[in-house]
Amino acid sequence: MLPREEAIAKIKDAIEKTYGKRGKMVIEQNFAAVDAALAHLHEVAVPAAATSTRHRPPIVSEDAPEFVKRVSAVMLANKGDLLPVSAFPVDGTWPTATTQWEKRNIALEIPLWDPKVCIQCNQCAFVCPHAAIRAKVYDAGQLEAAPEGFLATDYKAGEFKGMKYTLQVAPEDCTGCNLCVTICPAKDRTNPRRKAINMAPQHEHRERERQNYAFFLDLPEIDRTLVTRLDTKGSQFLQPLFEYSGACAGCGETPYIKLLTQLFGDRLLVSNATGCSSIYGGNLPTTPYARNRDGRGPAWSNSLFEDNAEFGFGFRLAVDAHARLAGELLGRLGGRIGDDLVTALLHADQGDEAGLAAQRERVAALKARLAGIDDADARRLELVADYLVKKSVWLVGGDGWAYDIGFGGLDHVLAQHRDVNILVLDTEVYSNTGGQASKATPLGAAAKFAMAGKEVGKKDLGLLAMSYGHVYVARVAFGSKYNQTVEAIREAESYHGPSLVIAYSHCIAHGYDLQFGVDQQKLAVDSGIWPLYRFDPRRVAAGEPPLKLDAGPAKVPVIDYMKNEARFRMVEKQNPQRFRHLMAEAQRDVTRRVAIYEQLSHLTVPTTAPEAGAAAGEKPAEK
Amino acid sequence: MLPREEAIAKIKDAIEKTYGKRGKMVIEQNFAAVDAALAHLHEVAVPAAATSTRHRPPIVSEDAPEFVKRVSAVMLANKGDLLPVSAFPVDGTWPTATTQWEKRNIALEIPLWDPKVCIQCNQCAFVCPHAAIRAKVYDAGQLEAAPEGFLATDYKAGEFKGMKYTLQVAPEDCTGCNLCVTICPAKDRTNPRRKAINMAPQHEHRERERQNYAFFLDLPEIDRTLVTRLDTKGSQFLQPLFEYSGACAGCGETPYIKLLTQLFGDRLLVSNATGCSSIYGGNLPTTPYARNRDGRGPAWSNSLFEDNAEFGFGFRLAVDAHARLAGELLGRLGGRIGDDLVTALLHADQGDEAGLAAQRERVAALKARLAGIDDADARRLELVADYLVKKSVWLVGGDGWAYDIGFGGLDHVLAQHRDVNILVLDTEVYSNTGGQASKATPLGAAAKFAMAGKEVGKKDLGLLAMSYGHVYVARVAFGSKYNQTVEAIREAESYHGPSLVIAYSHCIAHGYDLQFGVDQQKLAVDSGIWPLYRFDPRRVAAGEPPLKLDAGPAKVPVIDYMKNEARFRMVEKQNPQRFRHLMAEAQRDVTRRVAIYEQLSHLTVPTTAPEAGAAAGEKPAEK
């Protein structure tokens, strides 16, 4: 045992040594923690026998499904070794929608809603990484059975006039990241320090809010065909089918994934590259991908780092083959099903939710009629009939996948003219494995094994994709322009060809409190380091430039963005001169890239080809 | 046995079935061959005993080195199975410069030189795929020992005034492709059908030209430091160290490789991707990479399709590590070697041949002094001293490597800031495996497994590389502008960072007589389908746009280029309407790309960064 003062000095030495590069503030925070611990030392008297009357709650609720009780709960209790192999699904699948049974209760504080201040913008629901704050509109009559203290207010805007509106927190699933409160634009006029949502201690409000959340979940989901304005706000009235994942508090990736599940619902197929999103996307024993009230939800699978684009491309080929087979069988059975129904099924316009709903009804009618047809083709058609409803195939992963390890395959898939959608959750670093540099890492950033700051600029994945001409490409940052994100993702999905959406994702690896992630997204766009654009090949037919820039010229220098993140400041700490040099290089690089985009945004593509063969060329083969 | 007429009809049916898609001309040529064979049928009387007095010549010359006689000759005689394992080098290496001993004599006609008509442009030597026609300048005194019939003339231009000039064919190595004659720009005024080189039957001239060629090879090689104008002409006075390969007659790739060996000589290290260039580059039992009179030549190796960029990157790292070690050892031994020599060795300017020659002399002096130093460091320095002479590392391969299978690694190497040079021999198809489409295949071209014509445009590898900003990028087509090719390759090599040269390579897979390959290169550039450019990051420092276009605006429609090649015409044959549609799409695609390059060529990069931190940005981290 060391003498007290010597031991404390050695602890502080170790702190300086370990965290020195992260700056003075981090060291002082660690010192303060040590000092506070010392100041609060007190003796705990150990009684002779246990005296507590508290009992450990059950691992999962009594309401959980059989599989969760039999398998997930045992694993959550750290007794997974006791499970026999026969307890697991034989085909490698895993039941979805199970994170709801793993109540983590990790937030010290949770947001509480003040309906009087709220402007009903739904931005808080949009940014929540864990789908732990949600909005609903519903008929007033539903409130009759509401528990005491359940809050509701009149919905203000036109489309659902006369209905009620509630914003509800999931108190046991919230991680307390504070993002929702930080971005809330509504201020209480009577108290400028309060907003429409405000943090409060979880333990004081947990029981009531748990009741409220249960009631909220039981409220009817909105009819998808009624949400005709699919923007930031409208999208948040659609049920998220990705919830309570194990992603970090404040994660900048998960809002994009959640949005996919809201916009495309149970039609969504996700092939997920290795990386954070494959971990929190399938972090057994529970799964965040969920199901709607019909018991349907997204299909999700993870293959390898290096083949995810090809893997998802296979989803598309399989879906197309099934749909083609269904079409052929419809043609063969024709009259026995009813020509009108067959024609309607084969020529359905599924361009919006109304069209999709109508097709689902036709497929239900088809199945009913098939049941009465005694024919092998009818049995086969029953197996593939669901593929007559349009599917939405998404290839999802991080920059380590898309820019580096899986890039060869991604590029190969882009070069094919198939209807796949690609979402790159760009944290600009290998986040999941601890922060190694990727080709998406920006100039000047420090990363593991590249601590001196990266000297080469960020790879321009979007420009390569644009150069093909037939690829829809967008670069988005929800925190800068929520609606542009929603619009880009909807356009990408509607385009009948490959689509690439590169999504700015703030991340703990960037080194700052992520409740300010949205502010950093704004600065990234305002400085030009993250240009927002949408390149839509469909504009060519209208004689317009396919590239549309969605943000104005740069308003601030890149250093105003970079100085807020430790990944850049660490370089300054080590070598201020090198930092200044890299910052100047980064600014030059950004200025150059912005100029390229500006030029390209004015470039139209000829819609008519010049007269072929008109000019007199040499004819070597005829010599 | 079938009746004669029925058999012939069946043969012709088979021809139509096999070659129908290749067009009427091909079928008729085959029919004509059948008819000609029938017309020349005659009985050969077999004597009772052998009466011939001809003897089979030895497989290889008596002058061949021991390894060639002991191993290569046995394999060439198709008796390789008789060789024991112990006959082969134990370390996987293979002696170079051995194609010279495999006299194939496959040309029916060879080019003969007419000094009176020749303008000494050396273009024929440049385009020769097999280094089988060469130019030399030398002192007149050398001619004293010349064999009868050896041709020489006065050298016309300034730099070697007073010397003699000879253009000499290698009669037994020429493949008779006719490229040299087709491109010869010098016309005989007295006979418009004759040029400065003209084809003549090989068997009539073989013996004399063999003597001439042997004498020509023995003439002294020019002092490399004297060739100061390293353009099309000057480069051809440097000894090619890549000769008589097994590449196709008329190959469009090998002139680029030959040029590398001329410009960089024995300092060249090649990592070769799988593909044609790995086959003809190491087509055992003989090897086309050769050695100069000092016994030195390029080092060459082939790894895999998918890792060649990384493999060559490893060459660079190893060379740099050896050079660094040599530098450290020089520093340690310092005074014992002589400070002046050490300083000169460490700070040598090796930017041109004079500088390189001086450094070679220093290294020789160093070795002489090291021999007298009894120290372990001296022994180690002897092992790495040669690395003090600058090495030239080239990553070579085709489009199947660079655009497809090895692209992920290629891109990763481009993203590092190391001095590697990349030469892509772009035939726009997997030539070696029989013509499958790659991402380099142009819109509208038919390829194996894509017979209906490619619908997606050629991938823009150069644009991706340019978007990094720190990569030297050039697109070349020697047949359109010889000097631009030489300049681009020299600039690429001189740039201290990654360089990418994408080289148009006409190919038998394109489907026309390759003697017109150079005409097609011109049309590719003139139609805009193959833009010539050089993107040099060094121009930024001078305030100039880094991208320089090396050809004017498109002069002819792309169809004037495409109609000469069967890969495009096959689509027309199958489906004229689709062909017209694809040609229109191809023209649109080219027009769009040309416009992008035109814009980029005016884009300068700011050389000074804006005042950092000047504008008032938000400071989220301080909230």
Side-chain angles (χ1 to χ4, degrees):
Chain A
M1 296 293 283
L2 289 174
R4 179 186 166 110
E5 291 313 313
E6 192 182 338
I8 293 165
K10 291 233 176 271
I11 287 169
K12 291 192 172 176
D13 282 354
I15 287 169
E16 284 212 66
K17 199 170 161 188
T18 308
Y19 300 114
K21 285 187 178 169
R22 301 214 185 155
K24 206 172 167 185
M25 200 172 81
V26 173
I27 294 176
E28 281 171 1
Q29 283 172 342
N30 275 276
F31 283 4
V34 171
D35 294 339
L38 294 168
H40 292 82
L41 280 180
H42 64 96
E43 195 174 338
V44 178
V46 181
T51 58
S52 170
T53 57
R54 290 175 67 185
H55 291 278
R56 193 171 182 177
I59 295 282
V60 298
S61 153
E62 274 306 303
D63 300 330
E66 190 269 342
F67 180 84
V68 171
K69 286 183 194 162
R70 185 169 53 81
V71 179
S72 304
V74 178
M75 292 168 78
L76 288 171
N78 282 333
K79 294 178 180 165
D81 282 352
L82 301 178
L83 289 169
V85 170
S86 60
F88 299 95
V90 293
D91 59 357
T93 60
W94 199 265
T96 54
T98 51
T99 46
Q100 62 184 301
W101 306 109
E102 184 184 11
K103 292 303 175 197
R104 300 193 292 159
N105 283 290
I106 60 173
L108 294 177
E109 293 192 314
I110 58 172
L112 295 181
W113 182 46
D114 185 344
K116 295 190 301 297
V117 181
C118 182
I119 59 171
Q120 303 179 1
C121 69
N122 284 359
Q123 286 183 27
C124 53
F126 192 106
V127 303
C128 178
H130 296 84
I133 186 162
R134 303 190 185 189
K136 262 188 186 171
V137 284
Y138 50 89
D139 290 324
Q142 299 286 341
L143 284 173
E144 282 168 22
E148 205 184 312
F150 184 81
L151 298 178
T153 186
D154 293 335
Y155 183 68
K156 288 174 181 169
E159 71 275 39
F160 303 120
K161 204 80 183 179
M163 294 176 82
K164 289 288 176 183
Y165 174 90
T166 291
L167 192 70
Q168 176 63 50
V169 69
E172 299 185 298
D173 302 299
C174 170
T175 65
C177 71
N178 218 31
L179 248 177
C180 54
V181 174
T182 305
I183 62 108
C184 175
K187 301 234 163 66
D188 185 347
R189 291 187 186 179
T190 64
N191 180 350
R193 293 178 58 192
R194 290 186 64 80
K195 295 180 160 186
I197 37 176
N198 302 282
M199 295 305 267
Q202 194 241 22
H203 68 275
E204 291 176 14
H205 301 277
R206 179 173 56 214
E207 290 310 314
R208 186 191 68 240
E209 293 303 322
R210 177 157 61 190
Q211 306 293 329
N212 287 343
Y213 188 55
F215 176 76
F216 176 90
L217 288 178
D218 279 344
L219 287 172
E221 292 295 336
I222 198 155
D223 178 346
R224 294 178 67 89
T225 65
L226 298 180
V227 186
T228 48
R229 278 189 54 182
L230 272 171
D231 53 9
T232 315
K233 183 173 171 179
S235 65
Q236 295 312 306
F237 291 132
L238 301 174
Q239 184 183 4
L241 297 175
F242 178 81
E243 59 187 14
Y244 326 135
S245 76
C248 300
C251 177
E253 294 188 352
T254 45
Y256 295 107
I257 297 179
K258 185 181 61 176
L259 182 61
L260 291 189
T261 70
Q262 290 172 302
L263 293 175
F264 312 120
D266 64 0
R267 300 186 300 111
L268 179 65
L269 285 85
V270 176
S271 79
N272 209 124
T274 298
C276 285
S277 54
S278 75
I279 306 302
Y280 61 64
N283 194 8
L284 300 193
T286 64
T287 47
Y289 285 91
R291 295 193 294 268
N292 63 20
R293 297 205 177 180
D294 299 331
R296 292 166 179 266
W300 182 91
S301 189
N302 161 231
S303 180
L304 303 173
F305 230 144
E306 63 270 31
D307 75 353
N308 184 57
E310 298 91 320
F311 183 58
F313 190 68
F315 288 16
R316 179 81 263 166
L317 300 185
V319 166
D320 289 350
H322 286 319
R324 202 162 50 239
L325 175 61
E328 283 169 20
L329 293 168
L330 277 178
R332 268 193 241 164
L333 291 163
R336 297 170 73 182
I337 293 168
D339 287 335
D340 286 357
L341 180 57
V342 168
T343 305
L345 278 163
L346 290 176
H347 300 96
D349 176 359
Q350 301 185 58
D352 60 16
E353 288 291 338
L356 288 160
Q359 183 75 344
R360 283 180 200 272
E361 280 177 24
R362 284 183 210 109
V363 169
L366 170 67
K367 287 181 179 173
R369 292 191 199 175
L370 287 174
I373 301 175
D374 183 17
D375 188 304
D377 279 344
R379 299 293 78 72
R380 293 174 71 202
L381 184 48
E382 281 171 340
L383 292 175
V384 293
D386 284 327
Y387 288 97
L388 293 165
V389 177
K390 189 180 149 194
K391 300 280 182 273
S392 184
V393 176
W394 286 80
L395 289 41
V396 174
D399 47 291
W401 162 61
Y403 287 73
D404 282 8
I405 300 175
F407 174 57
L410 183 98
D411 172 59
H412 201 70
V413 168
L414 287 177
Q416 318 305 315
H417 211 318
R418 288 279 192 163
D419 191 5
V420 293
N421 307 289
I422 301 166
L423 175 64
V424 180
L425 302 160
D426 192 349
T427 62
E428 308 194 314
V429 74
Y430 284 78
S431 303
N432 187 54
T433 46
Q436 295 81 6
S438 80
K439 291 199 282 298
T441 302
L443 205 157
K448 206 166 274 184
F449 307 130
M451 290 308 287
K454 190 158 169 253
E455 289 186 351
V456 170
K458 183 183 177 84
K459 168 171 163 178
D460 200 333
L461 183 61
L463 194 63
L464 172 81
M466 280 188 257
S467 78
Y468 277 114
H470 70 275
V471 180
Y472 177 93
V473 189
R475 214 160 148 177
V476 305
F478 69 80
S480 173
K481 281 200 175 179
Y482 296 94
N483 281 340
Q484 191 256 3
T485 294
V486 182
E487 206 169 347
I489 288 178
R490 291 184 61 212
E491 283 180 355
E493 207 268 343
S494 71
Y495 178 62
H496 294 302
S499 301
L500 174 68
V501 179
I502 307 171
Y504 184 104
S505 304
H506 54 249
C507 176
I508 54 163
H510 299 174
Y512 63 95
D513 184 341
L514 289 190
Q515 70 171 304
F516 302 116
V518 161
D519 297 280
Q520 281 300 91
Q521 291 201 20
K522 282 189 191 119
L523 281 170
V525 172
D526 289 349
S527 66
I529 204 168
W530 192 275
L532 296 184
Y533 60 74
R534 287 168 297 141
F535 178 99
D536 192 337
R538 289 169 292 199
R539 289 201 192 98
V540 172
E544 293 169 20
L547 178 62
K548 193 169 179 312
L549 301 183
D550 289 327
K555 295 175 210 159
V556 298
V558 292
I559 192 158
D560 283 12
Y561 160 76
M562 291 180 165
K563 68 184 177 190
N564 297 325
E565 304 194 0
R567 58 175 168 159
F568 301 107
R569 284 204 317 269
M570 281 162 80
V571 177
E572 186 177 25
K573 176 84 186 160
Q574 297 168 65
N575 186 339
Q577 193 179 347
R578 181 177 166 83
F579 176 73
R580 281 192 300 277
H581 165 71
L582 288 176
M583 288 300 105
E585 284 297 314
Q587 181 66 58
R588 241 194 296 279
D589 192 49
V590 165
T591 306
R592 177 179 67 89
R593 286 167 196 251
V594 165
I596 291 174
Y597 290 122
E598 172 61 23
Q599 279 195 346
L600 288 176
S601 72
H602 298 294
L603 191 74
T604 52
V605 179
T607 49
T608 53
E611 191 65 24
E618 293 181 55
K619 301 174 186 65
E622 295 171 18
K623 270 182 191 170
Chain B
M1 299 291 284
L2 290 174
R4 178 185 166 112
E5 291 313 315
E6 192 182 339
I8 294 165
K10 291 232 177 271
I11 287 170
K12 292 194 171 176
D13 281 355
I15 287 169
E16 284 214 64
K17 198 170 164 189
T18 308
Y19 300 114
K21 285 186 177 168
R22 302 213 184 156
K24 205 173 168 183
M25 200 172 78
V26 173
I27 294 176
E28 281 171 1
Q29 283 172 341
N30 275 277
F31 283 4
V34 172
D35 294 339
L38 293 170
H40 292 80
L41 280 180
H42 64 95
E43 197 173 336
V44 178
V46 181
T51 56
S52 171
T53 56
R54 292 174 65 184
H55 291 277
R56 194 172 183 176
I59 296 282
V60 297
S61 154
E62 274 306 303
D63 301 330
E66 190 270 340
F67 180 85
V68 171
K69 284 184 195 161
R70 185 171 52 82
V71 179
S72 303
V74 178
M75 292 168 76
L76 288 171
N78 281 333
K79 293 177 180 165
D81 282 351
L82 301 179
L83 289 169
V85 170
S86 60
F88 299 96
V90 293
D91 60 356
T93 60
W94 199 264
T96 53
T98 51
T99 46
Q100 62 183 300
W101 306 108
E102 184 185 10
K103 293 303 175 198
R104 299 194 293 161
N105 284 290
I106 60 174
L108 294 176
E109 293 191 315
I110 57 173
L112 295 181
W113 181 46
D114 185 343
K116 294 189 303 297
V117 181
C118 182
I119 58 172
Q120 304 179 359
C121 69
N122 284 358
Q123 286 183 27
C124 53
F126 193 105
V127 303
C128 178
H130 297 83
I133 185 162
R134 303 189 185 189
K136 262 188 186 171
V137 285
Y138 51 89
D139 291 324
Q142 298 286 342
L143 284 172
E144 282 168 23
E148 203 185 312
F150 184 80
L151 298 178
T153 186
D154 292 337
Y155 183 67
K156 289 174 182 168
E159 71 274 41
F160 303 120
K161 205 80 183 178
M163 294 177 81
K164 289 288 177 183
Y165 174 89
T166 290
L167 191 72
Q168 176 64 50
V169 69
E172 298 185 298
D173 301 298
C174 168
T175 65
C177 73
N178 218 33
L179 247 177
C180 54
V181 174
T182 306
I183 62 108
C184 175
K187 301 234 163 65
D188 184 347
R189 291 186 186 182
T190 63
N191 179 351
R193 293 179 58 191
R194 289 187 64 79
K195 295 180 162 186
I197 37 175
N198 302 282
M199 295 304 267
Q202 195 242 21
H203 70 275
E204 292 176 12
H205 301 277
R206 180 174 56 214
E207 289 310 314
R208 185 193 66 240
E209 293 303 323
R210 177 159 60 188
Q211 306 293 330
N212 288 342
Y213 190 54
F215 176 76
F216 176 90
L217 288 178
D218 279 344
L219 288 172
E221 293 294 335
I222 198 154
D223 179 347
R224 293 178 68 89
T225 65
L226 297 180
V227 186
T228 49
R229 278 188 55 182
L230 272 171
D231 51 10
T232 313
K233 184 173 169 179
S235 65
Q236 294 314 305
F237 290 133
L238 301 174
Q239 184 183 4
L241 297 176
F242 178 82
E243 59 188 14
Y244 328 136
S245 76
C248 300
C251 177
E253 294 188 351
T254 46
Y256 295 107
I257 297 178
K258 185 182 58 174
L259 182 61
L260 291 189
T261 70
Q262 291 173 302
L263 293 174
F264 312 119
D266 64 1
R267 300 187 299 113
L268 179 65
L269 284 85
V270 176
S271 79
N272 208 123
T274 298
C276 284
S277 54
S278 75
I279 304 303
Y280 60 65
N283 194 10
L284 299 194
T286 64
T287 48
Y289 284 91
R291 295 192 294 269
N292 62 21
R293 298 204 177 180
D294 299 330
R296 292 167 179 265
W300 182 93
S301 189
N302 160 232
S303 180
L304 303 174
F305 229 144
E306 63 270 29
D307 75 354
N308 185 57
E310 299 91 320
F311 183 58
F313 189 68
F315 287 16
R316 179 80 263 166
L317 300 185
V319 165
D320 289 351
H322 286 318
R324 203 162 49 238
L325 175 60
E328 284 169 21
L329 293 168
L330 277 177
R332 269 193 241 164
L333 291 164
R336 298 171 72 182
I337 293 168
D339 288 334
D340 286 356
L341 180 57
V342 168
T343 305
L345 278 163
L346 290 175
H347 300 95
D349 176 1
Q350 302 185 58
D352 59 16
E353 288 290 336
L356 288 160
Q359 183 75 343
R360 283 179 199 273
E361 280 176 24
R362 285 184 209 108
V363 170
L366 170 67
K367 287 181 180 173
R369 294 191 197 175
L370 287 174
I373 302 175
D374 183 18
D375 187 305
D377 279 344
R379 299 293 79 72
R380 292 174 71 202
L381 184 49
E382 280 171 340
L383 291 175
V384 293
D386 285 327
Y387 289 96
L388 293 165
V389 177
K390 189 181 150 194
K391 299 281 182 273
S392 184
V393 175
W394 285 80
L395 289 41
V396 174
D399 48 290
W401 162 61
Y403 286 73
D404 282 6
I405 299 175
F407 174 58
L410 182 99
D411 171 61
H412 201 70
V413 168
L414 288 177
Q416 319 304 315
H417 210 319
R418 289 279 192 164
D419 192 6
V420 293
N421 308 290
I422 302 167
L423 174 64
V424 180
L425 303 160
D426 192 349
T427 62
E428 308 195 314
V429 74
Y430 284 78
S431 303
N432 187 54
T433 46
Q436 296 80 8
S438 81
K439 290 200 281 298
T441 302
L443 205 158
K448 206 165 274 184
F449 307 130
M451 291 307 287
K454 191 157 168 255
E455 288 186 352
V456 170
K458 183 182 177 83
K459 168 172 163 177
D460 201 333
L461 182 61
L463 193 64
L464 172 82
M466 280 189 257
S467 77
Y468 277 114
H470 71 275
V471 181
Y472 177 93
V473 189
R475 213 159 149 177
V476 304
F478 68 80
S480 173
K481 281 199 175 180
Y482 296 94
N483 281 340
Q484 191 257 2
T485 294
V486 181
E487 206 169 348
I489 288 178
R490 293 184 60 214
E491 284 180 355
E493 207 270 341
S494 71
Y495 177 62
H496 295 302
S499 302
L500 174 68
V501 179
I502 307 172
Y504 184 103
S505 304
H506 56 248
C507 176
I508 53 163
H510 298 174
Y512 64 95
D513 185 340
L514 290 190
Q515 70 171 303
F516 303 116
V518 162
D519 298 282
Q520 281 300 92
Q521 293 200 20
K522 283 189 190 120
L523 280 170
V525 172
D526 289 349
S527 65
I529 204 169
W530 192 274
L532 296 184
Y533 61 74
R534 287 168 297 139
F535 178 99
D536 192 336
R538 288 169 292 199
R539 290 202 191 97
V540 172
E544 293 168 21
L547 178 63
K548 193 168 180 312
L549 301 183
D550 290 326
K555 296 175 210 161
V556 299
V558 293
I559 192 158
D560 283 12
Y561 161 77
M562 292 180 163
K563 69 184 176 191
N564 297 325
E565 304 194 359
R567 58 176 168 159
F568 300 107
R569 284 204 315 271
M570 280 161 81
V571 177
E572 185 176 26
K573 176 84 189 164
Q574 297 168 66
N575 186 339
Q577 193 179 346
R578 180 176 165 83
F579 176 73
R580 282 193 298 277
H581 165 71
L582 288 177
M583 287 301 105
E585 285 296 314
Q587 182 65 59
R588 239 193 298 279
D589 193 49
V590 165
T591 306
R592 175 178 69 89
R593 287 167 196 250
V594 165
I596 291 173
Y597 290 122
E598 173 62 23
Q599 279 196 346
L600 287 176
S601 72
H602 298 293
L603 191 74
T604 53
V605 180
T607 49
T608 53
E611 191 65 24
E618 294 180 55
K619 300 173 186 66
E622 295 171 19
K623 271 182 188 170

